[in-house]
Amino acid sequence: MENSYAEDISQVKSILTDARSVLILTGAGISAESGVPTFRGGGGAPVWRGMPFEQLSSAEMVEKDLPLVWEWFDYRRNLVGECEPNAAHQVLATVQQSERFSDFSLVTQNIDGLHQGAGASDVIELHGSIWQASCLSCKTTQSLREIPEDERPPICPECFDSMRPDVILFGEAMPVQAVYGAQKKAEKCDVCIVVGTSALVYPAAELPLIAKQSGATIIEINQEETGLSSQANISLRGKAAEVLPLIFAENDSPNLRLPENKKVGSLDS
Ligand code: NAD
Ligand code: ZN
C-alpha cells in the first residue's frame, strides 16, 4: 500500500536520525525555484542566436570561436547572477554547517554556484562552475569574480595563454578527480538523497547505484518519476525547496504545513 506524503516525510526524518554519513546529489531541479534558466522545455531544442545549445557549449566551439563561447557563458552567468539561492540550497548549507552528521557531502551537476551562494563549502561540482575560468594550456583556474568582463578571453596568470569557461562541455571527458571523489563518497554513505536530477547521464546516474550497492538508503526528491525512481527506497514527489526543509527539520512542529495533495511512491527494494 502506498504511504502518505506525511508518513514518508517522517520515515525519512527517522532514517536521517540514525544516519552518520549523508551524500546529497543535486541537479538542475534544485535551482528551478531560483529561476535559473534551463534552456530546456518549450518543445524545441534550446537555441541562442540561432545556434543549438549543444553546438555553442562544445569543445569544438572552444577551438573554433572562443570569443563566442565567452559571450554565451557571460550571458548565462549574468542571468545566473540575478538568481538567489532558494530554501533548498539554504537548508543544505545550514545542515552542513551544523555538523549534525559526521560526514555530509554535496555533489552537484549544476554549474550555477548557488550551493556556495547559500554558504555551503567543499561542493563537488561534476560539471564545473560558470563562475570560474581555466587555462587552455596549464589548466590553472581563476575566479571570474576577479577578472573584468572586458578581458575576453581572460589571460592565464601563470602561462599567459587564453582561458576558457571552466565548465564541462559537450564532447568533453568528465573531470576525473571530481568523479572519483564523488564515487568514494557514494561508497561510504549511509543515506544518499538525490534532488532534482533526471539522473540519466554518467556519472550522476551511477552515484546512487554505487551507494545502494554499498548498503545505503536511497531517497529521491523530484516532482516527476525518473529513471532512478524504481531504485529509490523512498521517492518524495515535490519541489526541492518545499521537501528539503521538511525532512531536515530537527523536530516535528505542530505548525508544520505539508503541501496538499502530495502522493508518493514508496518503493522498498
Ligand atoms: P535535467 O534538466 O535533466 O532534470 C531536472 C530534473 O529536475 C527533472 O527530473 C525535473 O523533474 C526535476 N525538477 C524540476 N523542478 C524541480 C523542483 N522544483 N524540485 C525538484 N525537482 C525538480 O537536469 P540534470 O539532471 O541536472 O541534468 C541536466 C544537465 O544540464 C546537467 O548536465 C547540468 O549540468 C546542466 N544544467 C545545469 C543548470 C544549473 O547549473 N542550474 C541548469 C540547467 C542545466
Ligand atoms: Zn596557463
Side-chain angles (χ1 to χ4, degrees):
M1 207 181 77
E2 207 174 62
N3 284 350
S4 73
Y5 188 72
E7 277 171 44
D8 275 298
I9 294 279
S10 37
Q11 200 187 340
V12 171
K13 281 167 71 79
S14 112
I15 290 165
L16 288 171
T17 306
D18 298 329
R20 277 173 306 162
S21 176
V22 176
L23 170 65
I24 312 283
L25 171 66
T26 69
I30 197 171
S31 297
E33 284 154 277
S34 293
V36 175
T38 58
F39 301 98
R40 281 162 193 250
V47 291
W48 183 68
R49 296 214 185 148
M51 230 177 293
F53 188 93
E54 280 81 357
Q55 201 180 324
L56 279 164
S57 296
S58 68
E60 207 185 333
M61 194 57 81
V62 166
E63 279 182 26
K64 209 164 92 185
D65 195 345
L66 185 57
L68 179 73
V69 172
W70 272 109
E71 218 182 309
W72 161 234
F73 274 95
D74 284 339
Y75 166 73
R76 290 182 66 185
R77 202 179 53 262
N78 285 326
L79 292 177
V80 167
E82 308 264 303
C83 300
E84 300 279 342
N86 64 48
H89 301 104
Q90 278 156 1
V91 76
L92 293 177
T94 304
V95 171
Q96 185 186 46
Q97 285 160 6
S98 74
E99 297 182 6
R100 173 175 158 189
F101 302 100
S102 54
D103 191 21
F104 187 81
S105 312
L106 274 170
V107 177
T108 189
Q109 296 177 91
N110 296 344
I111 58 172
D112 56 34
L114 288 177
H115 285 301
Q116 293 91 332
S121 53
D122 301 321
V123 181
I124 298 181
E125 295 175 305
L126 294 172
H127 294 172
S129 171
I130 204 162
W131 295 100
Q132 200 156 281
S134 65
C135 174
L136 288 175
S137 298
C138 74
K139 314 296 176 211
T140 292
T141 58
Q142 197 177 9
S143 167
L144 283 162
R145 298 179 205 270
E146 292 160 15
I147 304 172
E149 211 169 290
D150 57 5
E151 193 189 322
R152 292 292 183 266
I155 301 303
C156 173
E158 297 295 326
C159 77
F160 308 108
D161 195 359
S162 297
M163 298 183 97
R164 52 164 280 177
D166 191 25
V167 168
I168 306 301
L169 303 174
F170 290 98
E172 291 184 320
M174 296 296 298
V176 176
Q177 221 181 329
V179 172
Y180 182 73
Q183 286 168 341
K184 290 282 137 210
K185 298 282 185 190
E187 276 167 22
K188 69 183 190 76
C189 69
D190 310 321
V191 178
C192 174
I193 306 181
V194 184
V195 189
T197 171
S198 52
L200 287 174
V201 291
Y202 172 88
E206 184 198 51
L207 295 172
L209 304 180
I210 294 175
K212 191 173 180 179
Q213 275 160 17
S214 313
T217 302
I218 312 300
I219 296 160
E220 178 185 55
I221 300 173
N222 198 307
Q223 285 168 303
E224 292 168 14
E225 190 170 332
T226 72
L228 180 72
S229 302
S230 62
Q231 298 291 320
N233 298 87
I234 300 177
S235 287
L236 295 166
R237 295 267 163 268
K239 291 183 177 175
E242 287 173 3
V243 179
L244 279 169
L246 289 177
I247 65 171
F248 283 111
E250 296 242 21
N251 298 306
D252 278 324
S253 150
N255 298 325
L256 197 72
R257 269 191 66 240
L258 295 173
E260 284 164 21
N261 302 325
K262 288 284 158 60
K263 282 265 187 269
V264 295
S266 183
L267 300 153
D268 257 317
S269 41

